[in-house]
Amino acid sequence: MFNVFGHTTSPFGISAWQSSGSIYDWSIDMIMDSEDNADRTTRSELPDPSDDKEEKRVLSAALDSFRQYRRAAHYNITHLRRQSFYALPSAQVELLSSPALSLPKKFDAVDEAIDSNADIAEAILAIGLPSFGFGSQDESWKGHATPGDLDKARSTIRQLYRDWSAQGLPERHAAFSPILSALQQHLPETISSERHKHRVLVPGAGLGRLVFDICAAGYSVEGNEISYHQLLASNYILNCVSEPGQHRLYPWALNFSNHHTSSDQLQSVVIPDIHPAATLEAAAEQLKTKVPYSERMSMTAGDFCVLYRQIEYTEAFNAVATCFFIDTAPNVISYMETIRSCLKPGGLWINLGPLLWHFESAPTPADRDKQRGRTSNKYTHSHADENVGIGEPGSFELSNEEVIALVESLGFEIVEHRLAQPTGYIQDPESMLQNVYRPVFWVARRK
Amino acid sequence: MFNVFGHTTSPFGISAWQSSGSIYDWSIDMIMDSEDNADRTTRSELPDPSDDKEEKRVLSAALDSFRQYRRAAHYNITHLRRQSFYALPSAQVELLSSPALSLPKKFDAVDEAIDSNADIAEAILAIGLPSFGFGSQDESWKGHATPGDLDKARSTIRQLYRDWSAQGLPERHAAFSPILSALQQHLPETISSERHKHRVLVPGAGLGRLVFDICAAGYSVEGNEISYHQLLASNYILNCVSEPGQHRLYPWALNFSNHHTSSDQLQSVVIPDIHPAATLEAAAEQLKTKVPYSERMSMTAGDFCVLYRQIEYTEAFNAVATCFFIDTAPNVISYMETIRSCLKPGGLWINLGPLLWHFESAPTPADRDKQRGRTSNKYTHSHADENVGIGEPGSFELSNEEVIALVESLGFEIVEHRLAQPTGYIQDPESMLQNVYRPVFWVARRK
């Protein structure tokens, strides 16, 4: 079993998660600590120390990549650019430095933007370290980040635009609204104060905004995420930010293409757009729900299939909401079977997304390893999991028509199926290049 | 000087270009053979044999990549996929082979599509070999293609969708119509039979459709292209295809993502949409132009800046049309200066495109080499050109506002500037992911 916080002898303490006044609790709480889940502890095989070692390496790499954000961005984005710039003939340097263009000033402004983004990365790190039991003297996590990890840190920081800025609302609205409407429409009718009786699972929870929105609507919701980068960032935003707009994010500053003006490149947003806890509290009051939000929201860490195929999750949820998720599967049948297994009979599977198969360009196991950014030849973080979850052998890609056929043949009835609203995904609305998804939306009911 | 067909002792004969009833002649004719251009021959430094060797390697790699299209696509696209598919548990293989999905049948259909595409690649090769003086017994060009060359062959074949299929018309219309209108609107007025007096240059001519369209409109036009892949393909389509719809192209067959149905993946188009020579002939008749199309259209091969900075091109053109081109520059000032130099005073620079700077992710010279797909540490194809053209040291990216400021400060007056119509670039209109450019369009006049 892949379980980040898998057993009590793990070097990664979880006290910080619990003592920080968390909005939501993490997998360890779901899996290990809640009394009514105690049986899981005993049924889960404890990872052996070598698993912990590999697990710790992956975690360390994620932590280290947030530490290196500042230096790596200054180096790759502005330092090398200045070098290239000053390698130009001096007349050109002069022309490009003139007031009409002022490239050196742009580089300076980008450096300031990098610093502002790096402040966020370091805030995530500062909370992440004690949360995972790293003491202030412990430097064992340093120096583990690969270039792939640095990329993930950069894209995670940028993703805060989508999930936690006011400017990201159109993207969230396009992706989340149909899901929230479907919960209300297709789950058994209930007054809002009783919605907590519906348990919803969100695989691929990312930075947690959909989980948060579903909680704010009154449901009980559990997110699941495999990426430490995302887990660290969502924990910080949800549990540790003290006020709306605490940070200024420059989502496009590191990209130099397709801008109409330099000020387009240097647009900034503040994050988060709201204070998560205060907003949930206000929402709960309005809903008159009897169960406080902190008991209606949780997050698990680990491989979706491995975790939710466990017997204790059998028929545990009233709904599963997959948003830009199913195409992350090398084997989408495993996702479907897992979703079916953890849904109650009559339960809903709500899906919205395109089919950008993440493993399309990786038809061999070695390529898949590379694509996952693994440096070892392990298929998942820990040794025990080589051939399970996303580490399973075999892969394939389907058209939407085929996905639907498969959903139906695996024990679901399609109750709604349509094109969703076109939307970008972390898309600068001013850019000369718009990557626009035209996702499908469908709702299936477990027979 | 970088000049593909640079001198008469070159192993790459050009007779085939001339004897094939070409619609347009190639650089060698422009630069070396026409009597009125004889002075160029003497002024151009002849490359030494080591240049030819490097040049031949690059050409051989391009030729070889068309030869390998079939085998590489069968291997990478279907063979490895079948392996991954049959590595699945047998119950899943059975399910996915059932009539609702029939993945093995899809793989077979993709193989057939690959074969149809490969027929085009091999037709390009079959014409390319004698054109470059390779005899039927000569196998010296085989085995040179790198994975990067194979990628270029794949994308060149796919690009035929945009330039030479009826279905590509919307993309061409969005990109080419404003350019053709601007020629009519801003060049000195003339009756259509006299348009040949206007000489137009198209840098980055690609597969030649804009060059062709400008010729069909009655102008004299010269394309320039550096890529052997593109040169070989455009030569084949323009000069050697015997009828419209001679080939069937499956532009999306090799991609497995974002399809609504498998038949979307297996959509096909025929190419070319028209017979180029017949169409030009008919157009010339209608225009009542006195100069036959074959004398109004030519193509040069080589680095744009290196070639057109030569003194013989000084003030040679009435207009330069850059379409999805200027962002290919590591140093766009060089492009601008070259354009200015080869434009007559009062001449037009018409530009349409986004600013997807091709060298953005390559801030160091080593990265730039890698991005260009060079295996050697040479900056251009031949040794003599290390620090000229796209091999120049230094690079930078600009916003559109900065590009405009630079154009103005380099001796141009902006006479029109607006957003162009949004358009895809080799975009499957059925796909769940639409990459949509919102290019800018502007016209500048050389002071």
Side-chain angles (χ1 to χ4, degrees):
Chain A
M1 190 202 103
F2 168 58
N3 170 13
V4 180
F5 318 100
H7 58 105
T8 46
T9 63
S10 163
F12 317 123
I14 54 123
S15 58
W17 301 108
Q18 297 172 310
S19 66
S20 64
S22 296
I23 287 183
Y24 65 69
D25 297 328
W26 292 71
S27 62
I28 188 66
D29 307 302
M30 287 303 303
I31 298 163
M32 305 290 296
D33 288 4
S34 1
E35 262 181 48
D36 58 350
N37 289 322
D39 56 341
R40 290 185 200 163
T41 336
T42 53
R43 250 182 266 147
S44 303
E45 222 182 320
L46 295 185
D48 71 27
S50 67
D51 291 345
D52 278 353
K53 206 173 160 189
E54 174 63 6
E55 198 59 49
K56 185 175 174 179
R57 192 194 58 73
V58 176
L59 171 62
S60 295
L63 290 164
D64 189 42
S65 69
F66 286 112
R67 178 182 71 97
Q68 290 196 45
Y69 181 102
R70 192 182 305 269
R71 197 178 55 180
H74 283 313
Y75 181 81
N76 291 312
I77 304 299
T78 45
H79 172 73
L80 290 180
R81 252 185 194 84
R82 284 194 182 92
Q83 278 196 332
S84 278
F85 178 69
Y86 289 109
L88 296 170
S90 61
Q92 295 189 358
V93 168
E94 204 173 312
L95 178 60
L96 295 168
S97 305
S98 71
L101 292 107
S102 303
L103 289 201
K105 276 192 188 161
K106 178 157 73 174
F107 296 146
D108 292 345
V110 170
D111 271 333
E112 283 182 37
I114 287 169
D115 277 330
S116 191
N117 290 356
D119 289 345
I120 305 173
E122 287 169 11
I124 291 167
L125 174 67
I127 296 298
L129 283 169
S131 302
F132 280 91
F134 289 93
S136 57
Q137 303 305 309
D138 185 351
E139 302 209 331
S140 63
W141 54 276
K142 288 190 180 172
H144 286 274
T146 64
D149 292 308
L150 294 175
D151 277 348
K152 284 180 196 162
R154 267 194 295 276
S155 66
T156 300
I157 295 299
R158 209 168 62 113
Q159 195 176 336
L160 290 165
Y161 166 85
R162 177 177 195 257
D163 272 30
W164 295 105
S165 83
Q167 289 77 359
L169 182 61
E171 291 186 10
R172 295 197 297 276
H173 179 74
F176 299 166
S177 297
I179 293 171
L180 285 157
S181 301
L183 288 172
Q184 286 189 41
Q185 188 188 339
H186 295 291
L187 283 175
E189 220 170 324
T190 177
I191 52 169
S192 60
S193 64
E194 298 292 325
R195 277 195 193 144
H196 65 271
K197 291 180 180 167
H198 296 307
R199 275 189 79 193
V200 183
L201 174 65
V202 180
L207 298 190
R209 186 62 184 250
L210 179 58
V211 170
F212 170 91
D213 284 358
I214 291 173
C215 181
Y219 301 96
S220 295
V221 57
E222 178 165 318
N224 166 253
E225 178 55 56
I226 192 171
S227 155
Y228 278 121
H229 287 85
Q230 307 254 312
L231 288 164
L232 288 160
S234 67
N235 171 56
Y236 174 69
I237 291 289
L238 282 162
N239 294 327
C240 311
V241 159
S242 59
E243 55 178 353
Q246 184 168 340
H247 293 283
R248 187 161 288 276
L249 172 72
Y250 293 81
W252 329 118
L254 282 62
N255 306 101
F256 283 72
S257 276
N258 287 315
H259 298 297
H260 285 285
T261 66
S262 290
S263 54
D264 283 343
Q265 178 175 353
L266 290 161
Q267 285 168 86
S268 70
V269 302
V270 296
I271 60 144
D273 56 324
I274 44 129
H275 185 270
T279 305
L280 285 183
E281 203 154 334
E285 230 165 84
Q286 206 173 6
L287 293 163
K288 303 191 198 312
T289 181
K290 291 161 197 162
V291 185
Y293 66 83
S294 56
E295 290 173 26
R296 286 188 285 107
M297 189 161 150
S298 62
M299 185 74 85
T300 64
D303 183 300
F304 170 63
C305 291
V306 176
L307 204 51
Y308 289 92
R309 261 184 215 159
Q310 293 178 105
I311 199 157
E312 56 269 31
Y313 278 114
T314 306
E315 304 186 354
F317 295 98
N318 303 87
V320 175
T322 50
C323 185
F324 283 75
F325 175 69
I326 64 171
D327 50 6
T328 63
N331 178 347
V332 77
I333 292 179
S334 297
Y335 277 19
M336 292 178 181
E337 288 177 341
T338 306
I339 290 167
R340 186 173 196 281
S341 152
C342 69
L343 268 181
K344 291 186 205 298
L348 289 183
W349 177 9
I350 304 166
N351 177 70
L352 187 146
L355 291 172
L356 183 63
W357 298 103
H358 288 212
F359 290 94
E360 175 178 0
S361 59
T364 69
D367 287 338
R368 285 207 295 280
D369 279 346
K370 207 165 22 171
Q371 196 151 316
R372 287 176 191 119
R374 302 285 153 74
T375 49
S376 75
N377 60 355
K378 299 301 164 221
Y379 288 163
T380 64
H381 297 175
S382 57
H383 295 201
D385 308 314
E386 261 182 41
N387 289 306
V388 289
I390 63 165
E392 283 176 37
S395 74
F396 54 92
E397 307 93 353
L398 302 177
S399 67
N400 180 55
E401 186 181 50
E402 292 163 336
V403 167
I404 295 288
L406 208 50
V407 168
E408 288 178 325
S409 68
L410 288 173
F412 293 89
E413 175 198 9
I414 299 285
V415 295
E416 205 181 332
H417 180 197
R418 58 179 167 85
L419 286 175
Q421 185 187 326
T423 177
Y425 194 101
I426 320 177
Q427 171 67 57
D428 172 8
E430 302 303 324
S431 173
M432 288 188 212
L433 173 56
Q434 298 286 313
N435 297 307
V436 180
Y437 290 95
R438 300 194 296 199
V440 293
F441 173 73
W442 45 258
V443 181
R445 190 181 296 281
R446 184 188 152 171
K447 285 178 186 165
Chain B
M1 189 200 107
F2 168 58
N3 169 14
V4 180
F5 317 99
H7 58 105
T8 45
T9 62
S10 162
F12 316 125
I14 53 122
S15 57
W17 299 109
Q18 296 172 310
S19 66
S20 64
S22 296
I23 287 183
Y24 65 68
D25 297 328
W26 292 70
S27 61
I28 188 67
D29 306 302
M30 287 302 302
I31 298 164
M32 305 290 297
D33 288 2
S34 5
E35 263 181 46
D36 59 350
N37 289 320
D39 57 341
R40 291 186 200 164
T41 336
T42 52
R43 250 181 265 146
S44 302
E45 221 182 318
L46 295 185
D48 72 28
S50 66
D51 290 346
D52 277 356
K53 205 173 160 192
E54 174 63 7
E55 199 60 48
K56 185 175 174 179
R57 192 196 58 73
V58 176
L59 170 62
S60 295
L63 290 164
D64 190 42
S65 69
F66 286 112
R67 178 182 70 96
Q68 290 195 46
Y69 181 101
R70 192 181 304 270
R71 197 179 56 180
H74 284 313
Y75 181 81
N76 291 311
I77 304 300
T78 46
H79 172 73
L80 290 180
R81 253 187 192 82
R82 284 193 182 93
Q83 278 197 332
S84 278
F85 178 68
Y86 290 108
L88 296 170
S90 60
Q92 294 189 358
V93 168
E94 204 174 311
L95 178 60
L96 295 169
S97 305
S98 72
L101 292 108
S102 303
L103 289 202
K105 277 191 188 164
K106 178 156 73 175
F107 296 147
D108 292 345
V110 171
D111 271 332
E112 284 183 37
I114 287 170
D115 277 330
S116 192
N117 290 357
D119 289 345
I120 306 174
E122 288 169 11
I124 291 168
L125 174 66
I127 296 297
L129 284 170
S131 302
F132 281 92
F134 288 94
S136 57
Q137 304 303 311
D138 185 351
E139 301 209 330
S140 63
W141 54 277
K142 287 190 180 173
H144 286 275
T146 63
D149 292 308
L150 294 176
D151 277 348
K152 284 182 196 162
R154 267 194 295 277
S155 67
T156 301
I157 295 299
R158 209 167 62 112
Q159 196 176 336
L160 290 166
Y161 166 85
R162 176 176 196 258
D163 272 30
W164 294 105
S165 83
Q167 289 77 358
L169 182 62
E171 290 186 10
R172 294 197 299 274
H173 179 73
F176 299 166
S177 297
I179 293 171
L180 285 158
S181 301
L183 288 173
Q184 286 190 40
Q185 189 189 338
H186 294 292
L187 283 176
E189 220 169 325
T190 176
I191 53 170
S192 59
S193 64
E194 298 291 324
R195 278 196 194 144
H196 65 270
K197 292 180 180 165
H198 296 308
R199 276 190 79 194
V200 184
L201 173 66
V202 179
L207 298 190
R209 187 63 183 249
L210 178 58
V211 171
F212 170 91
D213 283 358
I214 292 173
C215 180
Y219 300 95
S220 295
V221 57
E222 178 165 318
N224 166 254
E225 177 54 57
I226 192 171
S227 155
Y228 278 121
H229 287 87
Q230 307 254 314
L231 289 165
L232 288 160
S234 67
N235 171 56
Y236 174 69
I237 291 289
L238 282 163
N239 293 326
C240 311
V241 159
S242 59
E243 55 177 353
Q246 183 168 339
H247 293 283
R248 188 162 287 278
L249 172 73
Y250 293 81
W252 330 118
L254 281 63
N255 306 102
F256 283 71
S257 277
N258 287 316
H259 298 299
H260 286 284
T261 66
S262 290
S263 55
D264 283 343
Q265 180 174 352
L266 291 161
Q267 286 169 86
S268 70
V269 302
V270 296
I271 60 144
D273 57 324
I274 44 128
H275 186 270
T279 305
L280 286 184
E281 202 156 332
E285 230 165 84
Q286 206 175 6
L287 292 163
K288 302 188 198 313
T289 179
K290 290 162 197 161
V291 185
Y293 65 84
S294 56
E295 290 173 26
R296 286 189 285 106
M297 188 161 151
S298 63
M299 184 75 84
T300 64
D303 184 300
F304 170 63
C305 292
V306 176
L307 205 50
Y308 289 91
R309 260 183 216 161
Q310 295 177 105
I311 200 156
E312 56 269 32
Y313 278 113
T314 305
E315 303 186 355
F317 296 98
N318 304 87
V320 175
T322 50
C323 184
F324 283 74
F325 175 69
I326 65 172
D327 49 7
T328 64
N331 178 347
V332 77
I333 293 179
S334 297
Y335 278 19
M336 293 178 182
E337 288 176 341
T338 307
I339 290 167
R340 185 172 197 282
S341 150
C342 68
L343 267 182
K344 291 186 204 301
L348 289 183
W349 176 11
I350 304 166
N351 177 70
L352 187 146
L355 291 172
L356 183 63
W357 298 104
H358 288 212
F359 292 94
E360 175 177 2
S361 58
T364 68
D367 287 337
R368 284 206 296 278
D369 279 346
K370 209 167 13 171
Q371 197 152 314
R372 284 173 194 123
R374 304 284 154 74
T375 49
S376 76
N377 61 354
K378 299 301 165 225
Y379 288 163
T380 63
H381 297 174
S382 57
H383 296 199
D385 309 314
E386 262 183 42
N387 288 308
V388 290
I390 64 165
E392 282 175 38
S395 75
F396 53 91
E397 307 93 353
L398 301 178
S399 68
N400 180 56
E401 187 181 50
E402 292 163 336
V403 168
I404 294 288
L406 208 50
V407 167
E408 288 177 325
S409 67
L410 288 173
F412 293 89
E413 175 198 8
I414 299 285
V415 295
E416 205 182 333
H417 181 197
R418 58 180 166 86
L419 285 176
Q421 186 187 327
T423 177
Y425 194 100
I426 320 177
Q427 171 67 56
D428 172 9
E430 301 303 322
S431 173
M432 288 188 213
L433 173 55
Q434 298 287 313
N435 297 308
V436 180
Y437 291 95
R438 300 195 296 198
V440 293
F441 173 73
W442 46 257
V443 181
R445 191 181 296 282
R446 185 189 149 170
K447 284 178 188 164

